[in-house]
Amino acid sequence: MSIFRGIKTTEARVGVVGLYNSGKTVLLTSLINHLQDHDPDRFPLGKPGTQLRKFTVKESDDGWVPFNYSGHRDALVNAGRWPAKSTDRSQFVCQFERSDWTFSDCLLKLYDLPGERIADAAMLGRDFTGWSERVLNLITNDTAYRDCSAAFLDALKNPQVTAKEILAAYRLALANLILRYKPLISPSTFLLDTKGQAARPMAPEALAEARFCGLDADSQFCPLPAALRRGGTALFEQFSSHYERYVEQVVVPTVAAFRSCTALVVLVDVTMLLAGGVGMYDDNRQIVRDLFDVLEPGENTVFGPLARGLSKVFLPHSWRPGWITRVAFVAPKLDLVHPLDRDRMQLLTRRMVERFATDRDGLRSQFFNVSSVVSTKALAAEPGGPRVLVGTPLRGADGRKVPPGAEQRFTSSELPNDWPSEWPAGQYTFPEVYPRVPTRKDYPPDQVNLDKLATFIID
Ligand SMILES: Nc1nc2c(ncn2[C@@H]2O[C@H](COP(=O)(O)OP(=O)(O)O)[C@@H](O)[C@H]2O)c(=O)[nH]1
Ligand SMILES: [Mg+2]
């Protein structure tokens, strides 16, 4: 124990972002378990032999719902019954000492942030007219989007169309897009509302009925073409004001949360993209691109590295300039692919998104293939031969969830060396399994590379 302890607290603010079901909650739950019940042999952090001590959970910041660690861990142990969410974003704050940091202890803030909101990124700095133009441009210039939106595009041609009709047509378009795995859904509350309720798969008409495109039933809006945007008309004034309120209440707070982070963990679920088809790949890549455009990660040129170092020491927390200087790209669910293919998984992530990071000055980026909770075992395989894994299947042959039963053998797809130029949904399969989390609460689950990720982001 150094006499310098307590002189300084270094704050790390880490945002975890990824599409729905990409593994954010499981990653955070496993990470917290490993930090809280740290075992340097099972979770080497920083310099070899580093010990963690005095781990304490702190209250979350004003305006943030605490990340429900205990509830999530319990749900993982007890067969995937997830606790109901109360909000779309949450925070976990903890403090600990590390034996490899002599002059400082660590205050770690972890943010569970919904990737769905990135689809709204284009709203930032645009008024309703600018946003309408951009969305309509996207819809009309992409075959898949145009197909899904046919009824909406038709409705736009009718000069007498009512707000009710046009909103219903837009909701149907969004429902079609969701069912075709297009994640560029904006306003994103249609896909994930601010209470954390996600749209569930059902017939498009039913989905369009069940959800809202806006803050709530009375505050909906959709993009309008120039012909319907004449100032003074009720339709335009109403949608404009609903749009402004949406930006203020949903988009700005989420983007502010992202921006206040020092590091970002971007989950790119390679298994989901391969299974979902080329459209899903294109969209997820577009979303990561938008994320980088909006957040502008990298060293702030006004302050520079020296000022940043000084401000860490001299300024009170709330005054310190915050900006993202590190990005970790993570391919999760490593245990769903065969060990023969695990290097390819990282390579595929690199090929998909590396350029967004290398195009930025002063941004450190690293790639990780991670299993937050190792839940399979692999049988030996020949190159080119079947990839057989053993685990407890989450779904039956009809795709529906089944209760956890006995472990079974199943076959996962071989990963390609590079992204194909085209592939249909279902060509690759990576059967989901029940997570394997020890019941004993102070024994964290087996993980792969989560320790390396933690070393990179907590620094
Ligand atoms: N096999 C395996 N499955 C995982 C892993 N991480 C997440 N999953 C599965 O992915 C699904 C979505 O995870 P979740 O954390 O809820 O995703 P979120 O929507 O991004 O928070 C769950 O069914 C998990 O069991 C992992 O490391 N291995
Ligand atoms: Mg989650």
Side-chain angles (χ1 to χ4, degrees), residues 24-25 85 112:
K24 299 181 289 293
T25 304
K85 288 196 202 177
D112 188 355

Side-chain angles (χ1 to χ4, degrees), residues 38-311:
H38 186 241
D39 175 346
D41 295 328
R42 297 187 65 222
F43 200 81
L45 184 75
K47 296 209 181 85
T50 292
Q51 310 262 358
L52 297 195
R53 56 196 295 270
K54 297 192 181 172
F55 181 96
T56 40
V57 179
K58 298 270 178 183
E59 241 170 71
S60 37
D61 292 336
D62 271 353
W64 283 88
V65 173
F67 178 81
N68 184 1
Y69 165 72
S70 322
H72 288 307
R73 192 186 190 286
D74 181 69
L76 283 171
V77 173
N78 294 302
R81 270 178 301 135
W82 299 94
K85 288 196 202 177
S86 55
T87 176
D88 59 330
R89 53 199 184 94
S90 62
Q91 186 198 44
F92 184 88
V93 184
C94 60
Q95 190 160 7
F96 51 85
E97 292 180 7
R98 308 172 44 153
S99 59
D100 59 342
W101 287 10
T102 322
F103 300 107
S104 169
D105 51 12
C106 178
L107 180 67
L108 176 64
K109 295 184 176 176
L110 297 166
Y111 297 83
D112 188 355
L113 299 171
E116 289 78 3
R117 295 281 174 265
I118 303 162
D120 295 331
M123 291 182 180
L124 217 70
R126 284 192 173 87
D127 62 5
F128 177 65
T129 295
W131 175 75
S132 289
E133 286 294 317
R134 185 179 146 128
V135 173
L136 291 174
N137 211 342
L138 187 134
I139 294 179
T140 40
N141 290 313
D142 182 290
T143 310
Y145 280 86
R146 208 170 43 235
D147 289 351
C148 291
S149 316
F152 173 65
L153 293 172
D154 266 351
L156 293 183
K157 290 182 196 139
N158 171 10
Q160 258 72 56
V161 71
T162 65
K164 198 170 167 220
E165 288 163 354
I166 204 167
L167 287 171
Y170 189 63
R171 287 198 306 266
L172 184 63
L174 294 184
N176 285 329
L177 289 170
I178 291 179
L179 296 169
R180 287 182 62 176
Y181 299 108
K182 307 297 271 179
L184 272 177
I185 308 291
S186 182
S188 65
T189 45
F190 188 84
L191 183 54
L192 182 77
D193 69 22
T194 52
K195 303 256 185 329
Q197 292 295 331
R200 272 196 282 270
M202 49 177 105
E205 292 74 18
L207 194 52
E209 280 291 307
R211 311 283 307 180
F212 306 122
C213 51
L215 274 173
D216 51 46
D218 300 321
S219 317
Q220 304 187 71
F221 60 92
C222 69
L224 293 178
L228 293 173
R229 281 200 313 256
R230 293 183 312 273
T233 60
L235 191 63
F236 177 72
E237 298 301 333
Q238 194 192 11
F239 282 14
S240 280
S241 87
H242 292 170
Y243 171 87
E244 298 295 340
R245 209 144 52 81
Y246 182 87
V247 172
E248 188 186 301
Q249 291 186 20
V250 177
V251 186
V252 171
T254 310
V255 173
F258 277 117
R259 280 225 175 110
S260 73
C261 291
T262 51
L264 267 193
V265 175
V266 181
L267 294 185
V268 176
D269 188 350
V270 169
T271 64
M272 190 200 300
L273 302 186
L274 282 170
V278 66
M280 188 146 194
Y281 167 95
D282 280 338
D283 285 350
N284 200 350
R285 187 165 181 278
Q286 179 65 41
I287 281 182
V288 177
R289 182 206 297 260
D290 285 350
L291 178 74
F292 274 68
D293 283 348
V294 172
L295 298 182
E296 302 181 309
E299 199 68 70
N300 183 312
T301 45
V302 180
F303 292 100
L306 179 65
R308 178 168 183 268
L310 290 175
S311 72

